[in-house]
Amino acid sequence: MQTKYIFVTGGVLSSLGKGIAAASIATLLKHSGLKVSILKADPYINVDPGTMSPLEHGEVFVTDDGAETDLDLGHYERFLDESLSQDNNFTTGRVYSSVIEKERRGDYLGKTIQVIPHIVGEIVNRIKKAGEDQEILIVEIGGTVGDIEGLPFLEAIRALKGEVGRKNTMNIHLTLVPYIKVAGELKTKPTQHSVGELRRIGITPDMIICRAEMPLNRELKDKIASSCGVDKNCVIESPDSKSIYQIPLSFLNQDILTPIAEILGLEIVKPDMKNWDSLVKRIIAPTKESTIAFVGKYIDLKESYKSLTEGIIHAGATLDTRVNLKWLDSEKIDEQNASEYLKDVDGILVAGGFGERGVAGKIEAIKFAREKKIPYLGICLGMQLALIEFARNVLGLEDASSVEFKKDCKNPIIYLIDSFIDAHGKEQIRTHKSPLGGTMRLGAYECDVKSGTLLSRVYNGSKRIKERHRHRFEANPKYKNAFEKAGIIISGSSNGLIEVIELKDHPFFLGVQFHPEFTSRLTKPNPTILGFVKASLNAE
């Protein structure tokens, strides 16, 4: 079976929504019964986004096999309802590392290593590997046309078209059609220039997707089609929407699949989007409402928590509820003002994070949730801080802390284990001096669930669950007995490691070491997040 490839490139400027467009097309094709996968190729030189600041790059998404990837992979999984792997995302850094490693081994038999054919060939091979056993592979090229670091990637997709044939490839170019307020007009010139740049390097787009603040009229679409050399039915608009999950439906209404099927030689494709449409309607116009305090330290860039905010939307859609997030900067919360910030919320969520900044405010929020019996969900660091807060204020261990913040603290409630078994079953060693990249507990791990607990109810009685991790420090089992005697229930564990905690005599207090947001999908919300949102509704 010859895989067919759809290449998605971007022009004019970044952050236009290539990932959402690619995921939307993939969703429509999958719901038409085709076997579809998706790949993100990132031209930046980092090996992966694992060591990049959330403020720099947004969220780092983690796959089942422990790959730290671009946040667009989160969109892909949420739209496709499939688990992807490290084969579905690679960077310039990874490509060059691989080529240099081969050169050092002598695999190239002494030849001079060049961008063409060696770097471009490595990119082509990675694309083909991601497309194995798929009918269609959608490949999103990061960045914009004209970026110097993106040239090898564009050359690779140009070369791949020549290798697999015209009927097996399609180029979709996404550009901005800006609205100039003083002129009262949408302008097509940036799109024309972007397409011209793409043609200059040997790629002619088959379809143009136009990002715009308002709908494009027929005259404007025809102008773009004529100037960019595409058929009139191949100019698709992607307007601003209330929800990203409307985009596949918008594309479907514009009959995007007809030209795709014609270009790729597919049979007539008719997706069944009834369930999707029903969920989207509940996102746009729900009948219930809840307010949850989202306590974090990266709130200036909401992309840092993208999977988590989407997971809350998924739960809201299932429960027919609009979840209003009250974003709270943990650095601004203290003992004096915590009640003022949190007095009118139905639930409190403390998200994951790294480093000591903002920790004091998160601990105050956790204390408020515990004492006032407000539904609480702590994720990763949010679970660890719940243990520290309990140790300080219930067990009376005033110096309780984490070795992440205080390396030689007297009561290390959270500590660093020197060795652990990774998601691939291999032993990993990590110390304070280990490199930051790739030395965390990453990927999907099984967790044993204690029967009769809140966790067990949330997961419908499952005795074992599997969720994804991204953290370096662990809860110290030395304090397990003291915690349990004082009212904490250890309801989830993994090979002796504390995974989930909850409180006796509290309506909903759950701290999870894993990241439930990574496995949440629109059609299948994660049980942890769903249970929390449901509890916040009952709190009213």
Side-chain angles (χ1 to χ4, degrees):
M1 181 180 68
Q2 173 59 61
T3 304
K4 295 178 184 290
Y5 300 92
I6 297 175
F7 302 113
V8 180
T9 55
V12 186
L13 47 84
S14 59
S15 301
L16 288 179
K18 288 196 306 298
I20 300 297
S24 296
I25 294 167
T27 298
L28 293 173
L29 291 168
K30 183 187 175 183
H31 281 81
S32 301
L34 291 162
K35 195 174 181 186
V36 184
S37 192
I38 197 161
L39 164 71
K40 174 71 181 290
D42 272 311
Y44 56 75
I45 298 173
N46 304 63
V47 170
D48 59 41
T51 58
M52 294 166 74
S53 164
L55 299 173
E56 172 84 17
H57 191 70
E59 171 192 76
V60 174
F61 186 80
V62 177
T63 59
D64 270 352
D65 62 351
E68 293 178 288
T69 71
D70 183 86
L71 59 81
D72 274 328
L73 255 75
H75 290 313
Y76 301 165
E77 287 205 354
R78 288 187 285 273
F79 275 67
L80 275 177
D81 187 19
E82 286 185 17
S83 294
L84 303 176
S85 73
Q86 53 190 330
D87 288 340
N88 297 89
N89 184 214
F90 66 87
T91 66
T92 292
R94 197 172 288 279
V95 168
Y96 271 83
S97 293
S98 180
V99 169
I100 290 168
E101 190 178 315
K102 289 177 184 176
E103 185 273 331
R104 293 288 83 188
R105 286 201 308 259
D107 292 4
Y108 296 116
L109 304 176
K111 289 188 176 180
T112 302
I113 309 305
Q114 297 175 289
V115 173
I116 300 174
H118 302 102
I119 298 299
V120 169
E122 179 71 18
I123 295 169
V124 168
N125 289 338
R126 285 173 178 267
I127 292 173
K128 286 158 75 174
K129 184 178 181 183
E132 287 176 357
D133 301 322
Q134 302 294 332
E135 289 178 270
I136 296 176
L137 178 70
I138 297 176
V139 182
E140 179 196 346
I141 305 297
T144 58
V145 173
D147 295 345
I148 192 168
E149 63 266 32
L151 289 174
F153 290 82
L154 296 174
E155 173 60 24
I157 66 174
R158 189 197 65 77
L160 188 56
K161 182 174 184 176
E163 183 179 332
V164 301
R166 186 183 297 273
K167 272 289 182 185
N168 293 315
T169 61
M170 178 179 183
N171 291 306
I172 296 178
H173 192 53
L174 187 143
T175 71
L176 177 69
V177 180
Y179 178 71
I180 308 301
K181 195 173 181 180
V182 291
E185 287 182 307
L186 287 162
K187 292 293 186 181
T188 65
K189 194 61 71 177
T191 295
Q192 294 176 46
H193 280 299
S194 182
V195 170
E197 181 67 17
L198 198 58
R199 280 175 169 167
R200 190 180 65 81
I201 52 182
I203 298 171
T204 300
D206 301 297
M207 177 178 284
I208 308 287
I209 296 179
C210 304
R211 283 287 286 116
E213 293 180 38
M214 57 190 65
L216 277 63
N217 59 39
R218 187 69 259 172
E219 184 184 351
L220 210 63
K221 286 184 177 180
D222 289 350
K223 182 180 178 182
I224 290 170
S226 175
S227 60
C228 296
V230 301
D231 292 341
K232 288 181 179 180
N233 66 343
C234 289
V235 178
I236 305 293
E237 57 184 290
S238 181
D240 292 348
S241 304
K242 289 182 180 178
S243 168
I244 58 174
Y245 301 106
Q246 286 178 288
I247 302 299
L249 301 173
S250 172
F251 284 179
L252 185 61
N253 289 336
Q254 296 175 70
D255 199 24
I256 193 173
L257 292 180
T258 294
I260 290 175
E262 288 173 356
I263 291 165
L264 292 177
L266 303 172
E267 294 180 10
I268 295 173
V269 282
K270 289 186 177 179
D272 180 3
M273 300 294 285
K274 287 177 186 174
N275 184 41
W276 189 281
D277 186 41
S278 173
L279 288 167
V280 169
K281 283 173 181 168
R282 278 187 257 168
I283 292 173
I284 305 301
T287 60
K288 292 174 277 189
E289 203 165 342
S290 176
T291 300
I292 288 173
F294 193 116
V295 184
K297 67 176 182 179
Y298 305 120
I299 62 171
D300 287 338
L301 185 68
K302 307 296 190 291
E303 295 281 280
S304 305
Y305 303 107
K306 193 64 183 172
S307 288
L308 189 46
T309 55
E310 292 302 314
I312 291 167
I313 289 170
H314 303 160
T318 295
L319 297 169
D320 195 18
T321 299
R322 173 175 284 110
V323 181
N324 299 309
L325 293 180
K326 184 177 181 181
W327 293 89
L328 297 178
D329 185 342
S330 57
E331 290 189 89
K332 295 179 180 176
I333 299 175
D334 56 37
E335 191 176 355
Q336 280 70 43
N337 64 24
S339 59
E340 190 61 32
Y341 276 118
L342 299 164
K343 63 182 180 182
D344 55 355
V345 301
D346 304 310
I348 296 173
L349 168 64
V350 173
F354 295 90
E356 191 172 8
R357 183 170 63 83
V359 158
K362 290 182 179 182
I363 287 175
E364 287 301 327
I366 294 166
K367 181 183 178 185
F368 188 87
R370 177 177 61 80
E371 292 181 343
K372 304 297 182 185
K373 300 210 182 299
I374 296 172
Y376 173 76
L377 176 60
I379 294 174
C380 199
L381 181 62
M383 182 205 88
Q384 296 176 357
L385 295 180
L387 287 174
I388 292 171
E389 186 279 326
F390 194 89
R392 289 177 183 177
N393 298 315
V394 178
L395 299 183
L397 304 174
E398 293 181 10
D399 58 348
S401 191
S402 165
V403 295
E404 181 181 8
F405 318 136
K406 194 175 179 183
K407 197 159 63 172
D408 54 354
C409 61
K410 189 177 176 184
N411 283 294
I413 303 299
I414 308 301
Y415 77 137
L416 184 70
I417 57 172
D418 293 332
S419 65
F420 69 102
I421 304 301
D422 68 15
H424 303 286
K426 296 178 181 177
E427 185 182 32
Q428 296 284 348
I429 303 296
R430 56 183 174 181
T431 69
H432 285 287
K433 294 181 180 178
S434 295
L436 295 178
T439 60
M440 290 186 276
R441 190 146 73 99
L442 291 164
Y445 288 80
E446 289 187 334
C447 170
D448 294 317
V449 179
K450 190 174 184 178
S451 62
T453 60
L454 172 61
L455 183 70
S456 178
R457 292 198 300 275
V458 161
Y459 280 86
N460 295 317
S462 296
K463 291 184 170 59
R464 182 171 289 178
I465 59 176
K466 197 171 187 180
E467 295 285 2
R468 299 179 193 176
H469 290 248
R470 185 178 185 254
H471 59 99
R472 187 171 281 108
F473 299 88
E474 308 284 350
N476 194 337
K478 173 185 171 183
Y479 298 88
K480 184 173 181 282
N481 290 338
F483 279 132
E484 289 180 324
K485 283 179 184 176
I488 276 185
I489 301 166
I490 311 295
S491 54
S493 58
S494 176
N495 293 319
L497 297 173
I498 296 171
E499 293 282 88
V500 185
I501 63 157
E502 51 193 73
L503 278 180
K504 286 180 184 174
D505 306 320
H506 193 288
F508 191 100
F509 191 102
L510 206 58
V512 296
Q513 184 62 80
F514 51 77
H515 285 267
E517 67 271 25
F518 288 149
T519 55
S520 186
R521 317 281 166 79
L522 176 62
T523 50
K524 273 189 271 181
N526 182 278
T528 301
I529 300 171
L530 184 66
F532 172 59
V533 174
K534 192 183 288 185
S536 75
L537 273 173
N538 296 334
E540 296 178 340

